[in-house]
Amino acid sequence: MDFVSIRIITADVARLVGFYERATGVPATWATEDFAELRTAGATLAIAGTRTVPLFAPGAARPAANHSVITEFRVDDVDRVHRNLTGFVTDFVNRPTTMPWGNRSLLFRDPDGNLVNFFTPGTPGTREGDSGPGRQQP
């Protein structure tokens, strides 16, 4: 099994795709006006409109209702990304912060209120039991 993507359901696909294109620097590939993907080397962020939900199960997903998932992107320099996003991102939850496990992290909300974390890995062994660079959690 391979984990390949996360899908965000939104009432405004173009707005959310534009936000993520600007925030990540990754251009979207559009399949329809209701579905686009931002593909990175590790996974894909899919963004779909509410009209796609009934194709799976009517009422199964609601836009702008996420309160438990954080979408994470590894970046080379969180502080530089923060400077680049200042004035664009309107809801920073946390400015760049060094986490107890060594990663430098920037937490903010997208226009639908979904949490997004950009992080720069700490050095291997920063925290006892760390599995190496890129680990983003205790």
Side-chain angles (χ1 to χ4, degrees):
M1 179 185 306
D2 291 325
F3 177 77
V4 295
S5 73
I6 236 175
R7 182 181 311 215
I8 298 174
I9 300 297
T10 183
D12 190 339
V13 178
R15 176 193 60 158
L16 206 57
V17 168
F19 176 84
Y20 278 99
E21 284 182 319
R22 166 67 172 82
T24 65
V26 176
T29 302
W30 288 82
T32 71
E33 66 181 329
D34 288 318
F35 186 82
E37 294 179 324
L38 286 84
R39 296 183 186 124
T40 70
T44 297
L45 176 62
I47 299 173
T50 54
R51 291 186 294 196
T52 66
V53 174
L55 300 172
F56 292 99
R62 293 180 311 274
N66 171 26
H67 296 284
S68 62
V69 174
I70 302 173
T71 303
E72 298 183 313
F73 295 88
R74 183 175 47 226
V75 299
D76 291 333
D77 183 342
V78 162
D79 294 282
R80 184 181 72 236
V81 170
H82 177 249
R83 286 189 299 273
N84 290 341
L85 294 179
T86 298
F88 172 69
V89 170
T90 59
D91 190 358
F92 285 106
V93 175
N94 201 3
R95 307 285 177 185
T97 303
T98 301
M99 305 307 283
W101 49 91
N103 288 348
R104 191 112 171 106
S105 179
L106 169 65
L107 190 64
F108 57 94
R109 293 189 185 278
D110 72 17
D112 279 3
N114 300 302
L115 285 168
V116 180
N117 181 35
F118 283 4
F119 73 96
T120 300
T123 57
T126 301
R127 183 182 115 177
E128 191 171 326
D130 187 359
S131 64
R135 181 174 171 152
Q136 179 46 35
Q137 63 171 331

